[in-house]
């Protein structure tokens, strides 16, 4: 972090999503150097994420540089396909309008940026996340390939290590983390995950055959019936006190299927 800020000064900025990447802001603050923070407001974020933005600004005495989707593009998408078209034809189009293009515009004003990407976030796609790299996708202010440097200072840290750091430093965090949310994005595309589920299973789950009830039953069938089943039932009965009525609470609607599956497995094992 210190190397990044020292090298690029005001031409580098931290990309802050409103989740555990608040660690980046804390690291930058600890260097004692000036730093910039930007965030993409897609217009579909959780209220808790907006609350965290406000808390971070007050905690560090900074102003986050918010970037927004193009109003005309967003209006045309919603008028043509509705508010939730991504549930039917995938999230790529909506993300392209609300996230990728605004990010591209923001990065075109910089020479380098800092992200919270870690190798353990998505083993299938992020195992090769160098700490420093020439951005292979986006361009910087000078334009052309190789014009943007990307820092990933959390690359080799695990989620547990990041959270140990956040707790020790006492920094503001997103309230959704206490409700079972690990990876936090837009409200319609983010849900809580169960114990031992990978954090990315809480994002765009309708496109992933490994998500949902089928995954839960598979985990039960792998011999984790005791603790896992107890957690499912306790959350299903509303132990989670998340004010959003989050996905963990909605497990209650599916406990009958879980119980039936458990009974069938127990019978076959006898």
């Amino acid at each position: 972090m210190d190397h990044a800020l020292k090298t690029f000064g005001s031409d580098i900025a931290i990309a802050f999503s409103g989740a555990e990447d608040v660690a980046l802001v804390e690291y930058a603050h600890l260097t004692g150097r000036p730093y910039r923070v930007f965030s993409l407001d897609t217009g579909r974020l959780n209220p808790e994420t907006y609350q965290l933005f406000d808390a971070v600004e007050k905690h560090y005495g900074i102003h986050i540089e918010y970037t927004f989707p193009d109003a005309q593009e967003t209006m045309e998408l919603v008028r043509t396909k509705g508010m939730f078209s991504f549930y039917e034809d995938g999230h790529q189009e909506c993300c392209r309008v609300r996230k990728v293009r605004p990010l591209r515009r923001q990065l075109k004003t910089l020479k380098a940026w800092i992200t919270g990407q870690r190798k353990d976030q998505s083993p299938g796609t992020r195992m090769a996340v160098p700490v420093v790299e020439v951005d292979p996708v986006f361009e910087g202010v000078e334009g052309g390939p190789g014009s943007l440097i990307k820092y990933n200072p959390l690359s080799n840290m695990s989620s547990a290590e990041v959270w140990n750091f956040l707790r020790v430093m006492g920094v503001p965090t997103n309230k959704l983390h206490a409700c079972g949310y690990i990876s936090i994005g837009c409200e319609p595309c983010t849900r809580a995950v169960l114990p031992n589920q990978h954090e990315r299973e809480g994002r765009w789950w309708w496109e992933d055959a490994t998500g949902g009830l089928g995954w839960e039953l598979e985990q039960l069938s792998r011999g984790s019936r005791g603790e896992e089943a107890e957690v499912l039932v306790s959350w299903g009965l509303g132990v989670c006190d998340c004010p959003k009525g989050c996905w963990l609470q909605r497990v209650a609607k599916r406990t009958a299927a879980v119980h039936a599956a458990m009974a069938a497995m127990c019978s076959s094992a006898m």
Side-chain angles (χ1 to χ4, degrees), residues 4 115 181 251 263:
T115 86
Y181 290 71
V251 172

Side-chain angles (χ1 to χ4, degrees), residues 185-199:
C186 292
E187 189 277 334
C189 302
T190 302
R191 68 176 183 180
V193 295
L194 296 172
N196 301 319
Q197 269 188 294
H198 194 276
E199 62 184 82

Side-chain angles (χ1 to χ4, degrees), residues 169-180:
M169 303 308 295
V171 304
T173 57
N174 198 313
K175 295 177 182 177
L176 291 177
H177 288 304
C179 301

Side-chain angles (χ1 to χ4, degrees), residues 1 4-6 8-10 12 14 28-29 31-36:
M1 180 64 73
L5 298 179
K6 178 181 178 180
F8 289 97
S10 61
I12 191 171
I14 297 169
H29 177 74
T31 68
R33 299 182 184 277
Y35 60 93
R36 296 170 57 189

Side-chain angles (χ1 to χ4, degrees), residues 4-5 51 54-55 72 74 82 95 100 112 114 127 149 156 162 172 181 190 203 214 216 221 232 236 243 264:
L5 298 179
Q51 292 167 10
D54 182 65
Q72 185 65 34
T74 306
C95 282
V100 177
I114 304 170
M127 287 308 292
I149 301 300
N156 294 314
V162 172
Y181 290 71
T190 302
R203 302 287 291 278
E216 297 156 19
S221 69
L232 279 169

Side-chain angles (χ1 to χ4, degrees), residues 43-228:
R44 303 299 294 270
L45 302 179
N46 289 277
E48 291 84 352
T49 300
Y50 291 114
Q51 292 167 10
L52 178 61
F53 288 156
D54 182 65
V56 166
E57 288 185 319
K58 292 176 179 176
H59 183 82
Y60 293 102
I62 62 174
H63 293 289
I64 297 173
E65 302 171 22
Y66 297 102
T67 299
F68 301 89
D70 180 82
Q72 185 65 34
E73 282 188 305
T74 306
M75 182 174 66
E76 290 176 358
L77 173 64
V78 173
R79 285 184 175 181
T80 302
K81 306 187 70 173
M83 295 292 289
F84 300 97
S85 60
F86 39 81
Y87 288 141
E88 300 177 1
D89 57 15
H91 71 279
Q92 288 80 6
E93 183 178 19
C94 186
C95 282
R96 186 163 55 248
V97 171
R98 293 182 181 270
K99 292 172 59 177
V100 177
R101 288 173 182 166
L103 176 61
R104 191 179 301 278
R105 289 196 301 269
Q106 176 71 23
L107 295 179
K108 283 286 290 182
T109 69
L110 302 171
K111 292 183 179 179
W113 65 310
I114 304 170
T115 86
Q117 289 186 348
R118 304 190 321 272
K119 292 178 180 177
D120 70 343
Q121 285 177 319
S122 186
T125 59
R126 291 189 178 177
M127 287 308 292
V129 180
V131 175
V132 186
E133 62 181 320
V134 174
D135 196 301
V137 177
F138 297 104
E139 298 181 1
V141 65
E142 296 178 356
S147 59
L148 186 69
I149 301 300
K150 181 180 180 183
Y151 285 81
N152 308 298
L154 306 183
S155 174
N156 294 314
M157 296 180 69
S158 66
S159 177
E161 289 171 332
V162 172
W163 272 100
N164 285 338
F165 174 71
L166 296 178
R167 293 187 183 100
V168 168
M169 303 308 295
V171 304
T173 57
N174 198 313
K175 295 177 182 177
L176 291 177
H177 288 304
C179 301
Y181 290 71
I182 302 179
S183 177
I184 300 175
C186 292
E187 189 277 334
C189 302
T190 302
R191 68 176 183 180
V193 295
L194 296 172
N196 301 319
Q197 269 188 294
H198 194 276
E199 62 184 82
R200 301 304 290 183
E201 294 187 60
R203 302 287 291 278
W204 308 301
W205 59 92
W206 63 91
E207 299 176 14
D208 187 354
T210 64
L213 181 59
W215 183 92
E216 297 156 19
L217 298 182
E218 180 183 355
Q219 299 308 302
L220 291 174
S221 69
R222 289 180 177 176
S224 58
R225 287 191 286 268
E227 181 181 0
E228 191 76 7

